[in-house]
Amino acid sequence: METRTPRGFHDVLPDEVRRWQFIEDNARRIFDLYGFSEIRIPVLEFTEVFARSLGTTTDIVEKEMYTFTDRDGSSITLRPEGTAGVVRAFVENSMHAKSPVSKLWYSGMMFRHERPQKGRYRGFYQIGAELLGPEDPASDADLIAMVWKFLESIGLSDRLTLEISSLGDQRCRPQYKEKLVAYFKPEADRLCPDCRRRLGTNPLRILDCKEEGCRKIAAGAPKMMDNLCGECAAHFGAVREYLGSAGVPYTINPKIVRGLDYYTRTVFEVTTNELGSQNAVAAGGRYDGLVEELGGPGTPAVGFATGMERLVLLHEKAHPGGFRREIKVFIAYVGEGTETAAFRLTAALRERGVPAEMEYGGKSLKSQLKRADKSGAVYTFIIGEDELSRGKVKLRRMETSSEEEVDIEAAPALSF
Ligand code: HAM
């Protein structure tokens, strides 16, 4: 029997969870500030939702999905990302009819059967947001500014680089694809077998190939950024202007490809050089054709997602320590009848909103104080038989070990 997590999956233990919660709390706060509401969607969808959204010739759909046949014979896939499911929910619930703009954020586990390494997992958490409705470049910039504000709020923005580019649209991209094919065709023999196939199916994916040989050839390929139509170039120019006016620091990287096919126009990536090869911390872009592809009315949209594990790894480096749960008060007791008094005092403290923890099973006072110390308690109440008979309890300040007697009845109301 295998009783470990499957390869590429991991637990997040209580001490680490504090840091996760800090990041999640900030995401929630910032997204709220920008008018986004949370949406919760299933962790699995019909396989077709992902195949149609991400593109059948992407690595994710070709090699990385956790797909299985359900008992009724339908093909089901554990979500490899959140955008497709959010758009499916947007269409299924006719959200376009309720408001011209939908701002949705989500978080949860995603599943990709990749080769695990530091910062890359098969089960990983994303937080993401999708802004559906507007085509206006202000919406791209607003979303990117929100991502940056979030990264600032958790103290990471000075360790990160934001790169943007444009992938054009259905008007200029087909011509660009032809240019790419013309560029790669004479080199076909030197491309990997996958890329030779991509030449006929999806030449843009060659730009994303990890094989050294293909990368060398791709380095000299024409860039989408240099082949944008007038509308796409103007849109990109306006996005840049808005970003500038919002004070968001960015650089242009015409080599951004993205591993998913749904993107049009603006794309962006936030990277770090502190996590080795898994350097993408957040990424996203515009996807104006996806809602229609999933059966909805033509609705432009833009969004992003961040990988929680990578954020946490980076956050640990940038801000080590300081994320333990803290208990304010510990309650120790020694002697006959004191356990019940401890139980009551603990309950009374919590009733007043004071985080409190009591000893269970009454060990020696020394070992109880050790546990109190470990819990991070600032104060410890020590209930002894003698004090209790006089209606008193000892209050110990852990830092100084100083002790004083207080009335047990008044104890819960002390200011801690
Ligand atoms: P993505 O670039 O595939 O985009 O993933 C976004 C982020 O998720 C990455 O930048 C990375 O931080 C994290 N990530 C991806 N794969 C892994 C992995 N195997 N292990 C750990 N972290 C990982 C999307 O998923 C799009 N849905 C983003 C988007 C939203 N575009 C528009 N709206």
Side-chain angles (χ1 to χ4, degrees):
M1 190 171 76
E2 202 56 274
T3 52
R4 292 169 302 169
T5 55
R7 198 161 120 79
F9 288 77
H10 64 104
D11 301 307
V12 184
L13 300 178
D15 273 354
E16 299 168 70
V17 166
R18 294 270 135 186
R19 194 182 294 277
W20 284 62
Q21 288 172 337
F22 166 78
I23 296 172
E24 289 158 0
D25 289 350
N26 275 288
R28 223 172 273 130
R29 184 173 61 79
I30 300 293
F31 297 171
D32 211 43
L33 214 55
Y34 281 75
F36 281 72
S37 304
E38 185 179 359
I39 183 167
R40 299 192 180 190
I41 53 170
V43 292
L44 46 77
E45 302 276 352
F46 287 120
T47 302
E48 198 185 340
V49 171
F50 300 115
R52 287 173 77 144
S53 301
L54 317 189
T56 47
T57 52
T58 54
D59 276 359
I60 296 184
V61 174
E62 278 187 342
K63 307 177 196 164
E64 295 170 2
M65 294 206 304
Y66 281 87
T67 297
F68 61 94
T69 307
D70 206 351
R71 289 165 199 277
D72 63 1
S74 49
S75 180
I76 298 288
T77 293
L78 296 180
R79 60 182 180 195
E81 57 102 61
T83 311
V86 169
V87 171
R88 194 267 315 135
F90 175 84
V91 173
E92 190 169 338
N93 296 287
S94 303
M95 293 176 81
H96 58 91
K98 294 169 191 146
S99 166
V101 179
S102 295
K103 295 175 163 186
L104 306 166
W105 74 267
Y106 54 90
S107 68
M109 198 174 217
M110 309 293 161
F111 306 85
R112 296 183 193 179
H113 200 278
E114 297 194 72
R115 200 167 46 76
Q117 53 176 262
K118 197 177 163 69
R120 186 163 74 198
Y121 305 89
R122 290 179 175 171
F124 60 98
Y125 287 85
Q126 276 188 347
I127 296 184
E130 315 292 346
L131 201 175
L132 300 111
E135 188 178 15
D136 195 279
S139 60
D140 307 53
D142 208 27
L143 182 107
I144 297 173
M146 178 176 85
V147 175
W148 198 250
K149 191 53 90 194
F150 159 59
L151 296 169
E152 257 174 16
S153 76
I154 55 172
L156 290 186
S157 53
D158 54 353
R159 294 169 173 251
L160 297 167
T161 309
L162 166 66
E163 296 178 329
I164 64 169
S165 185
S166 175
L167 294 182
D169 64 5
Q170 62 291 357
R171 269 165 300 205
C172 46
R173 208 181 306 165
Q175 285 156 35
Y176 170 64
K177 271 189 188 168
E178 279 172 24
K179 270 197 184 177
L180 268 189
V181 173
Y183 172 85
F184 282 118
K185 241 195 184 137
E187 313 278 358
D189 290 348
R190 298 200 294 134
L191 293 172
C192 74
D194 272 350
C195 282
R196 236 172 283 143
R197 192 167 43 78
R198 286 169 182 146
L199 201 50
T201 54
N202 192 350
L204 269 134
R205 295 259 66 87
I206 303 175
L207 302 173
D208 201 23
C209 183
K210 309 283 180 294
E211 295 286 330
E212 192 51 36
C214 300
R215 280 170 58 163
K216 272 195 189 135
I217 302 169
K223 311 248 174 342
M224 183 68 237
M225 275 272 290
D226 302 328
N227 291 277
L228 296 176
C229 62
E231 279 100 330
C232 285
H235 192 274
F236 189 56
V239 171
R240 292 179 53 191
E241 231 166 82
Y242 281 118
L243 283 178
S245 70
V248 178
Y250 67 87
T251 52
I252 294 178
N253 177 3
K255 288 196 176 145
I256 296 178
V257 190
R258 309 289 300 120
L260 309 152
D261 279 355
Y262 50 60
Y263 291 107
T264 51
R265 295 191 165 172
T266 316
V267 283
F268 63 94
E269 282 180 353
V270 179
T271 54
T272 168
N273 50 24
E274 295 181 50
L275 294 182
S277 59
Q278 302 312 305
N279 64 348
V281 168
R286 177 164 282 288
Y287 50 94
D288 290 344
L290 185 54
V291 175
E292 216 168 351
E293 183 62 42
L294 291 187
T299 308
V302 59
F304 95 101
T306 182
M308 275 299 290
E309 286 80 359
R310 294 185 192 174
L311 275 188
V312 169
L313 279 172
L314 195 60
H315 200 270
E316 271 166 3
K317 282 191 176 201
H319 308 280
F323 275 92
R324 279 190 55 209
R325 178 187 61 107
E326 269 183 22
I327 200 87
K328 246 320 174 20
V329 181
F330 191 85
I331 296 93
Y333 54 91
V334 242
E336 194 84 6
T338 53
E339 183 164 12
T340 314
F343 198 80
R344 253 191 252 124
L345 176 56
T346 311
L349 283 161
R350 291 175 183 152
E351 202 60 43
R352 290 183 169 264
V354 182
E357 218 187 326
M358 71 178 274
E359 173 62 27
Y360 303 121
K363 314 208 171 53
S364 72
L365 183 59
K366 195 171 153 203
S367 82
Q368 293 188 52
L369 287 178
K370 239 191 199 163
R371 205 188 132 204
D373 219 24
K374 238 182 146 185
S375 77
V378 185
Y379 296 99
T380 298
F381 281 114
I382 304 167
I383 308 180
E385 267 178 86
D386 170 47
E387 289 92 348
L388 190 59
S389 68
R390 290 185 284 110
K392 302 279 184 190
V393 61
K394 257 191 216 150
L395 176 63
R396 181 184 175 99
R397 199 182 162 78
M398 298 305 284
E399 200 179 58
T400 55
S401 302
S402 59
E403 293 183 356
E404 59 174 311
E405 257 185 25
V406 296
D407 283 343
I408 197 160
E409 292 305 322
L414 295 173
S415 52
F416 293 101

